[in-house]
Amino acid sequence: IIGAGVEMGAGTWVGSHVVIKGPSRIGTNNKIYHFCSIGEDPQDKKFESSANSTLIIGDNNTIREYCSINRGTPHGGGVTSIGTDNWIMAYCHIAHDCHIGNHTVFANNTTLAGHVDIHDFVILGGFTGVHQFCRMGIGSFSAIAAIIVKDVPPFILAEGNTARARTINREGLKRRGVDKEVIATLKRAYKTLYRQGLTLQEALTRLKEDAGEIPEMVQLVNFIQESKRGIIR
């Protein structure tokens, strides 16, 4: 069922028993498998049906069976967005006002509360749950059944309930062709953040000194400085 206010680009395929509600804009060459609910009203008691509320999905995404993706709410910016080349497996839920980047993987039963930001190249293990207003930085990784209640910095592997940092996502960095010396620098940065008994501010000062012009280190420092919820430690 394709409702009013739904725009869909060329090459997008929709399976049986899918309901897509507008206002929603869906790009090109997406595959939306059977029994999905896309663009439905947000699960927010404050939401009114007349409110400004939109879902935007980019190109080349795969959304497997039984996924639910809700539109945004006015107090959260009004938009839920999903970028390009994402792989969203069965039974995932993406709540209102979430923003998903590009090239992410959501394993089965991943659940995002409202206002969650998932940056590029993030991988979420099956049954991961992410608390509202949390962010996962570029290239981070959550292990199976991780429960995330604070921000996960870029390139960090998070594990457990509640999730804690375990190591850097070395395999993900290697797959993306990141230089070995940069990976070694990020490993030292991980030890500074998590293994040397420093306060966050002390660790951040050292990370700034080590960052230089290495883009990955700059991304790590900026993410920590911009965190409103605090990072997992």
Side-chain angles (χ1 to χ4, degrees), residues 209-227:
E209 294 170 354
D210 295 339
E213 297 182 1
I214 301 172
E216 289 83 358
M217 287 292 293
V218 172
Q219 288 170 325
L220 178 61
V221 168
N222 288 344
F223 183 95
I224 296 170
Q225 291 184 136
E226 293 164 2
S227 178

Side-chain angles (χ1 to χ4, degrees), residues 109-120:
N109 294 94
T110 293
T111 299
L112 306 186
H115 313 275
V116 168
D117 287 351
I118 304 294
H119 295 187
D120 296 349

Side-chain angles (χ1 to χ4, degrees), residues 6 16 30 61 113 154 182 184 190 202 204:
V6 175
S16 65
N30 296 286
N61 296 290
V182 174
Y190 174 84
E202 288 169 341
L204 194 52

Side-chain angles (χ1 to χ4, degrees), residues 1-8 12-15 17-26 30-33 35-41 55 57 63 67 69 71:
I1 299 173
I2 310 296
V6 175
E7 302 175 21
M8 199 174 303
T12 287
W13 176 90
V14 181
H17 299 88
V18 173
V19 178
I20 305 178
K21 185 174 180 178
S24 295
R25 300 203 307 270
I26 301 172
N30 296 286
K31 292 194 77 172
I32 302 172
Y33 282 75
F35 304 102
C36 287
S37 172
I38 308 295
E40 190 50 84
D41 292 349
L55 169 66
I57 297 176
I63 302 171
C67 288
I69 304 173
R71 302 191 321 277

Side-chain angles (χ1 to χ4, degrees), residues 28-195:
T28 62
N29 300 315
N30 296 286
K31 292 194 77 172
I32 302 172
Y33 282 75
H34 324 292
F35 304 102
C36 287
S37 172
I38 308 295
E40 190 50 84
D41 292 349
Q43 297 179 105
D44 185 331
K45 289 184 177 180
K46 300 183 292 299
F47 180 76
E48 298 179 1
S49 59
S50 61
N52 179 34
S53 176
T54 304
L55 169 66
I56 299 173
I57 297 176
D59 306 325
N60 304 309
N61 296 290
T62 297
I63 302 171
R64 294 302 305 242
E65 298 84 354
Y66 295 98
C67 288
S68 55
I69 304 173
N70 296 163
R71 302 191 321 277
T73 62
H75 62 275
V79 177
T80 301
S81 66
I82 297 174
T84 295
D85 290 310
N86 298 290
W87 181 261
I88 301 172
M89 298 186 198
Y91 296 95
C92 291
H93 175 67
I94 297 174
H96 59 86
D97 306 295
C98 288
H99 298 287
I100 314 304
N102 307 309
H103 308 287
T104 68
V105 176
F106 286 51
N108 294 342
N109 294 94
T110 293
T111 299
L112 306 186
H115 313 275
V116 168
D117 287 351
I118 304 294
H119 295 187
D120 296 349
F121 299 104
V122 171
I123 297 178
L124 299 106
F127 295 92
T128 293
V130 185
H131 196 277
Q132 60 260 36
F133 296 100
C134 287
R135 302 179 302 150
M136 291 189 68
I138 182 171
S140 58
F141 184 106
S142 70
I144 185 171
I147 302 299
I148 293 166
V149 298
K150 290 189 176 182
D151 292 350
V152 179
F155 319 115
I156 295 296
L157 189 153
E159 179 184 44
N161 179 8
T162 54
R164 301 185 67 179
R166 295 304 179 192
T167 184
I168 63 167
N169 182 17
R170 185 182 316 179
E171 195 59 37
L173 290 162
K174 289 193 326 196
R175 287 177 183 174
R176 286 169 45 211
V178 175
D179 186 82
K180 284 194 230 179
E181 292 183 5
V182 174
I183 294 175
T185 301
L186 288 170
K187 188 173 181 181
R188 289 194 297 272
Y190 174 84
K191 291 179 178 178
T192 299
L193 264 177
Y194 294 106
R195 293 289 181 264

